[in-house]
Amino acid sequence: MITLKGIHKSYGERDRRLHVLKGIDLSVAPGEMVAIMGSSGSGKSTLLNLLGLLDHADEGEYLLDGKEVGRLTENQAAAMRNRKLGFVFQAFNLLPFKNAVENVALPLYYQKVGRRERNKRAEHFLELVGLSERRLHKPNELSGGQKQRVAIARALVTDPAILLADEPTGALDSQTTDDIMDLFKQVHGMGKALVIVTHEADIAAQTERTITLKDGRIATDTAHEPAHVSA
Ligand SMILES: Nc1ncnc2c1ncn2[C@@H]1O[C@H](COP(=O)(O)OP(=O)(O)OP(=O)(O)O)[C@@H](O)[C@H]1O
Ligand SMILES: [Mg+2]
């Protein structure tokens, strides 16, 4: 469903130019659960942002479900994102003045889904992530793990085939990290593809495939059995 060919990405101008991705070839199949690792500054977020149509590559091809999406306009990219992709970030990125249901329902607003249906679907996904009883609370009234559950519900509410997560457990303690990983495994069980950027080897071990970035290229790409961590 995702195919990258010869992707290059640099930041900055002329002599200050930083060549971050130097020829990335990568495919992700439907339903695959993949981890991306690499040292700080190796280009993990840059790669995830390209996959998420949040930024353009300088060179190379990006096929999403067989369609070239690397050169879409802002509006086209936004529409494609809204339909096909879900995002989860380290810092949750929830709207502070909206409660959990409203945060989860927001992507449906952009799809022009009516209010009643939006709320119904949002409640459904909050229940799925185990947060029904906190549904009317605002982000500052929720713990880090609860905020991330809201963010995951929001990522799922449009029923995307692919979830992209940039260090989703980076701000969480180890118990909460295990809970969120269990939730990701459940999402994987729903048949969705997941691409998770992480610094932690034991998180990568719980996926099916680990890719490491080094010096702007894919250094390793290894399929493995997912390790089971929690009881
Ligand atoms: N918008 C930008 N403008 C200029 N340079 C950038 C920009 N975004 C990232 N960079 C640089 O590109 C390189 C790769 O950054 P990136 O955020 O992709 O790394 P990362 O692997 O996600 O690192 P971390 O593990 O610290 O999150 C870094 O050297 C960073 O400073
Ligand atoms: Mg990063």
Side-chain angles (χ1 to χ4, degrees):
M1 71 179 14
I2 285 177
T3 307
L4 299 182
K5 286 183 194 158
I7 293 288
H8 285 257
K9 177 72 182 175
S10 298
Y11 293 112
E13 300 293 318
R14 292 189 205 98
D15 50 322
R16 317 188 97 234
R17 205 157 170 78
L18 182 67
H19 197 172
V20 177
L21 300 179
K22 303 176 181 169
I24 300 286
D25 298 310
L26 170 66
S27 293
V28 178
E32 229 184 340
M33 189 171 183
V34 185
I36 297 180
M37 297 195 74
S39 55
S40 182
S42 61
K44 303 180 298 295
S45 296
T46 300
L47 177 59
L48 205 74
N49 289 344
L50 293 176
L51 288 175
L53 301 171
L54 296 167
D55 201 358
H56 290 281
D58 301 321
E59 223 182 283
E61 263 181 65
Y62 177 7
L63 299 176
L64 182 57
D65 291 334
K67 187 179 183 296
E68 171 61 58
V69 293
R71 283 160 201 83
L72 301 179
T73 64
E74 287 278 315
N75 285 340
Q76 287 170 327
M80 185 71 80
R81 257 196 316 274
N82 191 263
R83 268 197 298 130
K84 303 214 172 194
L85 306 168
F87 289 89
V88 180
F89 301 95
Q90 178 174 3
F92 322 120
N93 296 11
L94 301 173
L95 295 182
F97 301 111
K98 300 218 174 270
N99 67 32
V101 177
E102 291 165 335
N103 266 285
V104 173
L106 197 65
L108 297 173
Y109 174 83
Y110 296 111
Q111 290 187 354
K112 302 194 165 59
V113 175
R115 175 192 284 271
R116 187 184 292 258
E117 180 66 21
R118 286 203 301 271
N119 286 339
K120 197 176 118 195
R121 287 197 223 167
E123 304 250 358
H124 168 78
F125 282 98
L126 277 175
E127 194 179 330
L128 185 111
V129 301
L131 219 60
S132 282
E133 82 283 10
R134 307 293 284 174
R135 70 187 181 282
L136 299 178
H137 290 262
K138 301 223 165 69
N140 68 0
E141 301 161 345
L142 299 171
S143 69
Q146 289 171 338
K147 280 186 252 207
Q148 200 57 302
R149 285 172 188 277
V150 173
I152 292 169
R154 179 185 56 185
L156 291 172
V157 79
T158 53
D159 194 26
I162 307 165
L163 238 65
L164 303 172
D166 197 349
E167 302 197 38
T169 62
L172 305 176
D173 64 33
S174 62
Q175 177 57 54
T176 313
T177 292
D178 288 347
D179 295 343
I180 293 295
M181 284 309 292
D182 283 344
L183 185 54
F184 278 130
K185 287 175 210 165
Q186 194 185 334
V187 169
H188 178 231
M190 293 159 65
K192 297 189 186 297
L194 283 109
V195 180
I196 302 173
V197 167
T198 180
H199 272 116
E200 295 170 64
D202 33 326
I203 289 179
Q206 294 177 59
T207 70
E208 304 170 328
R209 176 182 171 194
T210 301
I211 291 166
T212 53
L213 294 183
K214 198 179 175 199
D215 301 326
R217 295 191 175 85
I218 291 178
T220 64
D221 184 345
T222 315
H224 50 82
E225 286 297 317
H228 293 286
V229 168
S230 45

